[in-house]
Each structure stands twice: as structure tokens, then as C-alpha cells.
Amino acid sequence: MFHVKQFISYDVIVIGAGHAGVEAATMASRLGAKTALITFKKDDIGTLSCNPAMGGLGKGHLIREIDAMGGLIGNASDLSGIQFRVLNRTRGTAVQGPRAQIDRLQYKENMYQLINNENIDIIFDEVIDVTLETKNNLKRINSVRLSEKGKIICKSLIVTTGTFLKGRIHQGKENWSAGRMGANPSIKLANFFKDQKFKMLRLKTGTPPRLSSNSIDYNKCMIQYGDKKPEPFSFLRESIEKDQIACHITQTNARTHKIINDNLKNSPIFDGSVKSRGPRYCPSVEDKVFKFNSKDNHQIFLEPETLNNEVTYPNGISTSLPIKTQQEFLRTIRGLEKVEVLRFGYSIEYDCVDSIEIDQTFQTKKIEGLYLAGQINGTTGYEEAAAQGLLSGINAVLGINKKEGFVISRSQGYLGVLSSDLTKGGLIEPYRMFTSRAEYRILLRADNADERLTDLGIKLGTVEDKRKAKWLSKKKVMAKAYKKLNELYASPQEYNRFQIKINQDGKKRSAYEVLGYPDTTWDKLKLKWPQLNELNLNKTIERQIKSNSFYNRYTHRQEMEIEELKKDQTLKIRDDVNYQNCKGLSNEVKEVLEKHKPNNIKEARLLPGMTPAAANILLRFVKK
């Protein structure tokens, strides 16, 4: 850790040490830049300010991709995880998402240790101003001014301030300035963006009350175990050996809903105090009860915040109702009749920059050398923030060295989907990653992120020596396996003798092609071809190769759909079209289409929040 005592300069300065900040600083440092990470205090580093969990559908894919490139979030999650589950395990691997409950305290400590192993100077202070210089009518970053330590020169600046820009907490009729509960907001830095005439948005998010675990009657709740064999996030790790802990499920009821309905007038979300939009897919309990009034109950996941389970996070009841109302409705819930609240829920409004102000390198269009990452760009979620941090850290150094920016395409990763979606700008609510946003999702699986991205990381220089050696060894083993599988051919009759059922059309097929059939197993293929035993593949690699084979047959069909979309861009959309009847479109996309009323498919594709996957669905609907 470094404390500034005199005037000094850096190549890259990162403001904020949350999930975007630590990844940005790590990438910049790995690429040889002299890097400083500035945050208010040590306790801010790697803070899980809301849900103590990582991953899930889309989000778990992002973690794997960040990890494949050399990022920290997967490793820190594995070191701190207390319950691991793969979501959608019974479905195809393309839509499976690794998820883990995280020990909040362990995560902060593990992340601190991980960045301390990097060549990063950590400075505890507040940035109160940013100084620019102008050359050839182009503004660029010159320095930052700190509250205590004064001016520090830098070549690039990465701002990752989360919800701190003019953050304001709301709890019933009470409201006050804060970056999050117990943390000061960043007012002066917010004014910098205003003065530079950046297009700003006002968004909100919320959090539920925190409960004393000892006051919960878990016998009245449904137990939820993790996977028997926990699956790590990081490709560096073969298994998870840490102790695991159970979660529990309960639900709201008619009494709960009555109390909430009777007190909606006291909610800042309903009384007009809060006008900004929150994440649609993580609504407050007030929104759920009001908008889905036909539902008798809503699930609540009681998630432990640490391994010793002193504090419980009730996922599903984010609220900004008054403290008294929160206490009252909580005690109507099964298992929470005698619950003690350690910290009450609240919503927080904050400024963010309209993401149309950045390009796909995350550099701002107005100021050279200024990069933005995380919730400041209008996203929500730890994983989305970390992804932006990784990409902005890489590009900040490439920019300093006058090299071409590093942009991942939509066909290469969810990292590319995220950056492509964001730079359309005009977000109407915080952006969250889903598998449905990716038109290439059958190729962008969580299990094959290393195949797609680690070579890119090695070429850039972001990948550690241990990861590089591990991947190159795995790559060699997989290449040998692919070669062998594609050399072995047999007829349907021959396969049938080993209980491998395929079309009896007389056509010879390779072992690789047949491996992708649902009923084909490695064990059956090894009976047919004993030489496959000599490959000595572990179960993880066997699953990965089988999944690649299974999805390989769909690749051509997907490419045809994308070409069809390109050809039909000028297809006119009727004025009287009812988007509500278009099955498969999210409510978010329907709202955008109804608001903008595009004339054709090309215009629709350019709308904020409109993904190529959604455009394909719309195209089929319009044609029909």
C-alpha cells in the first residue's frame, strides 16, 4: 500500500475500489502501467454492497470470461464462496449459469490480498477535482486533485464510482446524501461531469433489510442446499474444498401484502419522492405487491452473509418503506415472526453518465484518456461492473501507448455483448446481463470461456504465468482429443452395436460428431474405440468437448438467421403493430419499441436495449 507524500505522477489512476475498480487497476498494472487505485478507505475494497452472491444466468458467464482473461472476480469468489449451485443444470450448457453465495467479509479480505499481490499503489483519499488540458481542440486528462494529498498527474483516468455520484438514500419519508449506507457520496466529482456537459441520467436501486440469523425460525422454512460437488468459477481451480452452508426459502402472504398496500403512500417510490427507474428484474417488494396484485405470495430466499451465519440477507424483499412498516410486515412472514432487524432496507438514487458518451473501449468521446466503468455507465450488478473494469483497464494502457483499442465482438463473448449494448446509450433503467441478450449464446457458454478468450489474454499480457501454463497444457490435451475424435469414423450399424443410436442412413460419421448426440456418452465411445482411453481426459474436459460437439450442429443455423436479419433490415413495420403480441420479447424491449415506434427493422436494431436476438424475434413476428 502506498501513501502519497509529495507531488507524483502515474500512467493510470483508477477512482473507486469496487468490482470495476479492482479489475481495472489489475489489468492496467499487468500491462506494465504505473497504476494507482484511489478509494475512501480500506473497507471499500471489494465491498458487496447489496446481495452477498456472485453469478447466475448471464452473470456467471461474465465471471468465467473475466477469469479467462486473467481477472480477479472468479478467484475471489471461489475463495469466499459458502454455497455453490449451477442454475439450469437440467437444461443445456449454453443457458447454465454458475452461482455462489459469498461470505461478505471473506470476499473483501480476499480481494484486498489479491490486489496487494499486483503492482498497484492504493491511496486512501477523495478525488475532488479532475484537471484537463487542451491540445488541437481536444480535451484530455491531465491530473486529479485529492482532498488531502493534493495534485497527482496521470495519463489516463478510470472512474468507477458506483452509486456514489450524488447518491441519496430514501427510507420512508426520510432521505439523506450517501454513496451507500454509512458512506459519503461523491458530490464534487459529479459536478465535474455536469460542468463538462456530459449527458447524465438519474437511476435507482434498492436493498432489503438485514436480519439477525439467530432470530429466524428455520424449521418453518424450506431448506435449499447447494450442489453436492461445488463447481468453481475460476479455471485455475479444479474443485472447491471449503465448507458449504444451506440457504432457506419462505414467502410473503396476504397479511404481508395488506400491510404493504396500506402503507404505499409512505413509500418514496409511490409518493413521488423517487422519480428515477430501478432495475426491472429486481423490483422492490412494494412494486411486486402493487403490480402483481393477483399473486398470493412472493418467494423470499434467506441467504447467509457469512459462514458463521450471524446475518441473513432476505433476497426478494428489497424495500424503502418506513422502518416501522418494514418491522411490521416482516413479522407476518413464516419463520420471521420474531425476527430482529440489524439494518433496515432502503433505496438509493444516483447520477450516472448516459453510456452513449463512451465508445466500446469505455473511453469517453468528449475527453481523451478518461474512461468510465461500472454503475456510472448505467449498469447494475457486480459482474457487469467487473467486466467493464477489465476492458477499461486494458484500453487505458493501449490508449497511452497509441495502440488500437481492444474490443471483444458479440460473437466472442458476453463481454462484447455488454460493451455493444451499452454504447447505444439511452438506457431507461439499470442494465443487467441475461443470456437472452446474446444472439450467439449457444457458442458463448460458461464452460468454454477459456477456449474463447484465454489466448487473447495471453497475447495482450493480462494472463498470469500460472493461468497461461495451465491453459496451454489444457489446450494441447484438447487439440489432441479433437484430432483423434475427427479421425475415427463408423457407420450407423457399427455405432448401434455399442448402444449409440443415430439415424440408420448408412452415412459414416466421426466420433466427434456422434459425441454430441444426447444419448452418446464417452464410455460408449470408449467401448467402440478403446484408444480413446489413452487421451486421459478429466471429466471437465470431457464435458466441454461433448458440449462443443452438441452445439456445433446449431452454429450454421444461427449464422443463417443472422444473415437473414441483415437482408431484411429495410422491412417496414406496420404502424398498427401490437408489440405485446410478440412472444419472446422482454417487457423492456416491448416498452422501447412502443415508445420509439421504428419504421423498419434497421431502425429497431439501433434502439437502446434492442439486441440482435430480440431483432431476430421481431423480424419473424413482422414477417408473420
Side-chain angles (χ1 to χ4, degrees), residues 59 99 148 166 239 252 254 276 323 429 478 506 515 599:
K59 291 170 171 283
R99 184 186 188 276
E148 296 180 10
K166 289 189 178 176
S239 61
T252 61
S276 50
I323 288 174
E429 62 192 54
M478 292 183 75
L515 179 62
N599 293 309

Side-chain angles (χ1 to χ4, degrees), residues 362-431:
F362 293 88
Q363 183 173 220
T364 61
K365 297 172 183 177
K366 284 186 171 72
I367 301 172
E368 186 179 331
L370 175 61
Y371 296 77
L372 309 179
Q375 282 181 280
I376 193 172
N377 288 330
T379 62
T380 181
Y382 311 138
E383 304 86 351
E384 291 87 346
Q388 295 168 71
L390 176 126
L391 294 171
S392 62
I394 291 169
N395 280 300
V397 180
L398 294 177
I400 290 171
N401 295 326
K402 306 300 181 185
K403 293 183 178 179
E404 183 180 355
F406 176 71
V407 176
I408 292 176
S409 71
R410 297 183 70 96
S411 61
Q412 286 177 298
Y414 280 87
L415 291 168
V417 174
L418 174 68
S419 53
S420 171
D421 286 351
L422 278 185
T423 49
K424 289 182 179 180
L427 295 174
I428 60 173
E429 62 192 54
Y431 177 96

Side-chain angles (χ1 to χ4, degrees), residues 117 181 608:
N117 291 334
M181 187 65 80

